[in-house]
Amino acid sequence: MGIYKKVGYILTIFIAICIGYLIYRFADELGLQHNSGTIFSLLITFWFVINEILSILENIGRMGVELPNFLKNILTELKNGVNNKDL
């Protein structure tokens, strides 16, 4: 399953790059001020990177490695924030 997840990440980033390029390309025609062609894909990529870092830290904690208190607090807050979202 992990390989499918990574391929999905790559495809999502590729699509984000394409969408970002289209927004950059047609911004003038739509009357939008858009100076960067990469902001959309960078946001998506950073989201995936942060998500993977949090997952790694969570797995390290499950293996019994003692995490610093500030990391535990951040992980707890992020988990509670995601779990309490009304969809």
Side-chain angles (χ1 to χ4, degrees):
M1 287 304 292
I3 191 73
Y4 295 124
K5 184 177 177 182
K6 302 306 184 232
V7 169
Y9 282 177
I10 291 170
L11 289 175
T12 304
I13 291 170
F14 177 73
I15 291 169
I17 290 170
C18 292
I19 291 171
Y21 175 75
L22 289 173
I23 291 171
Y24 175 73
R25 181 85 167 116
F26 296 109
D28 287 336
E29 293 176 19
L30 297 173
L32 301 172
Q33 282 292 77
H34 189 64
N35 298 328
S36 176
T38 61
I39 191 72
F40 190 67
S41 58
L42 283 174
L43 288 173
I44 298 296
T45 304
F46 283 138
W47 174 260
F48 284 142
V49 169
I50 290 169
N51 189 24
E52 286 298 312
I53 289 171
L54 291 173
S55 176
I56 290 168
L57 289 174
E58 195 173 80
N59 290 335
I60 288 172
R62 287 181 185 162
M63 290 189 309
V65 176
E66 191 65 31
L67 295 174
N69 285 333
F70 74 94
L71 284 178
K72 287 181 188 177
N73 293 338
I74 290 171
L75 287 173
T76 302
E77 287 181 31
L78 288 173
K79 276 183 168 178
N80 290 338
V82 169
N83 291 336
N84 291 333
K85 289 283 182 189
D86 292 330
L87 298 177

